[in-house]
Amino acid sequence: MTFRVADAADVPVIVELVQSAYRGDASRAGWTTEADLLDGQRTDPAMVAAAIAEPDSVVLLNVDGDAVVACGQLERRDGYAYFGMFAVDPARQRGGFGAALLAEAERHARDAWDAAEVRMTVIVQRDELIAWYERRGYARTGEISPFPYGDERFGVPRRPDLAFETLVKKVA
């Protein structure tokens, strides 16, 4: 496994990777699918390009040979790093690529940005995914935020009760 920082040339492959991991029938090949919760897009080229270009953001890639197999974005915030846009190729899930990328993101947040913790939000209905993060040291905070209903940039909800919970892990 090799890690590198994404650049503008990576935008199409990142969009495809994120979409394939979470939306539509292709996502059902892996266990991270949100296809039963949301339709539509998970991200788009403009959102990914902005994440790459933002000075307080980095998109990390896990590369196996010539293939980008996982990605995740870190945003530097006041005293912590926010982790999002995490995706692993559905055909390679359960192969350790996601866990390795998450560990690399935590290392980057701590060593490059001196962040004390990494935070993320996860859809509360994703019990299996939340359990996966808990096994990697993340704790549920009970802090719930609403899903952005009506903003189709983040998908078209298939149910009316979606919300996010913040998870946190100390890394310093």
Side-chain angles (χ1 to χ4, degrees):
M1 287 184 234
T2 303
F3 301 102
R4 67 176 177 84
V5 174
D7 61 31
D10 295 308
V11 169
V13 72
I14 294 169
V15 171
E16 182 180 334
L17 175 63
V18 172
Q19 197 68 14
S20 73
Y22 292 100
R23 299 288 197 274
D25 288 336
S27 70
R28 295 183 191 280
W31 66 274
T32 62
T33 185
E34 295 173 346
D36 294 330
L37 301 174
L38 295 149
D39 291 318
Q41 72 177 34
R42 175 75 188 266
T43 193
D44 61 35
M47 293 166 69
V48 173
I52 290 170
E54 175 64 36
D56 284 330
S57 170
V58 63
V59 177
L60 299 172
L61 304 177
N62 187 337
V63 181
D64 185 31
D66 292 335
V68 174
V69 297
C71 68
Q73 178 195 12
L74 279 173
E75 294 177 27
R76 183 178 6 205
R77 299 199 178 163
D78 190 22
Y80 70 94
Y82 180 84
F83 184 68
M85 202 169 60
F86 185 31
V88 179
D89 178 343
R92 296 182 186 225
Q93 290 177 7
R94 301 191 191 274
F97 295 102
L101 182 90
L102 181 60
E104 176 65 11
E106 293 164 359
R107 186 207 59 76
H108 184 92
R110 180 188 62 243
D111 296 349
W113 291 348
D114 199 29
E117 62 187 29
V118 173
R119 297 181 193 176
M120 65 180 69
T121 56
V122 180
I123 296 174
V124 297
Q125 288 80 3
R126 303 290 319 277
D127 294 327
E128 186 178 7
L129 183 58
I130 291 171
W132 186 86
Y133 285 121
E134 288 177 317
R135 289 191 301 274
R136 279 142 193 87
Y138 285 81
R140 299 179 83 158
T141 64
E143 179 184 321
I144 305 296
S145 55
F147 185 86
Y149 284 91
D151 188 345
E152 292 187 7
R153 293 177 306 154
F154 302 102
V156 179
R158 298 183 70 167
R159 50 191 287 176
D161 61 341
L162 298 177
F164 295 102
E165 182 171 1
T166 299
L167 306 180
V168 65
K169 179 179 179 179
K170 300 288 184 198
V171 295

